[in-house]
């Protein structure tokens, strides 16, 4: 039986676009430190190609860790988080819940890059929610709440603690709001 964190292939393609949008907003933080390293930007491009149906999940499952490894080669925490956001976006081809990881790492990166502006993380979450399509919102609503299912990234791993967990919980709380439409139909 597949994990409820997987989502269907069609749903993963929808949320991959949103995850790529989230990661793309912070990739420059990585590039400022490692301008010659194109792995995070390539991961974002692959997430978009997957969303368009140009890449298969099998192709991307093998390549999903490439951008994350780039994060080990930079020093600033914001650059590391930006690389991880791109890696999570690419990993949506494998499991839809990685879209929330892409968003969480992007908001974390934005916050780390602007420590003098404590509202930056909240501002980024607000942008992410405002740029989520109705279809992506509907798909992400199908994911289990953070920490309730161990068969995927929303289990007890890195996304389930600290600021990443706070960000994901904020996104999931917004997704659960009854006044927000689940779909455009």
């Amino acid at each position: 039986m597949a994990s409820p964190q997987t989502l269907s292939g069609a749903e993963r393609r929808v949320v991959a676009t949103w995850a790529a949008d989230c990661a793309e907003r912070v990739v420059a933080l990585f590039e400022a430190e490692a301008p010659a390293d194109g792995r995070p930007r390539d991961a974002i491009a692959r997430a978009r190609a997957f969303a368009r149906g140009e890449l298969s999940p099998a192709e991307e499952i093998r390549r999903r860790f490439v951008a994350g490894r780039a994060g080990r080669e930079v020093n600033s925490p914001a650059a590391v988080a930006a690389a991880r956001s791109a890696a999570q976006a690419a990993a949506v081809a494998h499991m839809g819940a990685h879209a929330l990881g892409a968003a969480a790492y992007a908001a974390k990166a934005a916050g780390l890059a602007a420590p003098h502006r404590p509202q930056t993380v909240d501002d980024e979450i607000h942008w992410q929610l405002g740029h989520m399509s109705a279809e992506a919102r509907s798909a992400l609503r199908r994911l289990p709440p953070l920490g309730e299912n161990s068969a995927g990234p929303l289990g007890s791993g890195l996304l389930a603690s600290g600021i990443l967990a706070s960000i994901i919980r904020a996104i999931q709380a917004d997704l659960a709001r009854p006044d927000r439409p689940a779909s455009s139909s």
Side-chain angles (χ1 to χ4, degrees):
M1 174 186 260
S3 167
Q5 295 186 45
T6 299
L7 300 178
S8 72
E11 289 169 324
R12 289 194 312 271
R13 291 191 190 285
V14 167
V15 300
T17 298
W18 177 74
D21 290 345
C22 293
E24 193 162 48
R25 285 180 50 87
V26 297
V27 72
L29 297 171
F30 175 87
E31 293 170 335
E33 189 169 331
D37 190 338
R39 291 177 289 180
R41 191 161 295 276
D42 180 62
I44 294 166
R46 287 193 334 268
R48 291 191 188 290
F50 171 76
R52 291 188 303 267
E54 298 167 5
L55 297 174
S56 74
E59 291 172 285
E60 291 311 293
I61 287 170
R62 289 188 298 275
R63 298 166 58 187
R64 71 185 185 272
F65 299 114
V66 173
R69 287 192 289 270
R72 295 185 204 140
E73 297 175 21
V74 290
N75 295 314
S76 86
V80 172
R84 289 181 178 165
S85 178
Q88 290 281 321
V92 169
H94 168 248
M95 190 169 275
H98 285 291
L100 293 176
Y105 274 113
K108 178 181 179 177
L112 289 168
H116 58 286
R117 291 189 64 238
Q119 75 276 13
T120 300
V121 170
D122 290 338
D123 290 348
E124 192 64 18
I125 294 168
H126 179 76
W127 182 91
Q128 292 169 348
L129 291 167
H131 285 80
M132 183 186 295
S133 71
E135 294 81 11
R137 179 174 285 280
S138 180
L140 292 172
R141 277 184 168 162
R142 294 179 19 80
L143 294 172
L146 182 67
E148 284 191 13
N149 177 274
S150 62
L154 298 179
S156 60
L158 291 174
L159 299 180
S161 63
I163 189 155
L164 297 173
S166 297
I167 294 164
I168 291 171
R169 284 190 182 102
I171 293 169
Q172 287 192 313
D174 188 84
L175 291 170
R177 287 178 41 193
D179 60 326
R180 298 285 241 165
S183 68
S184 57
S185 52

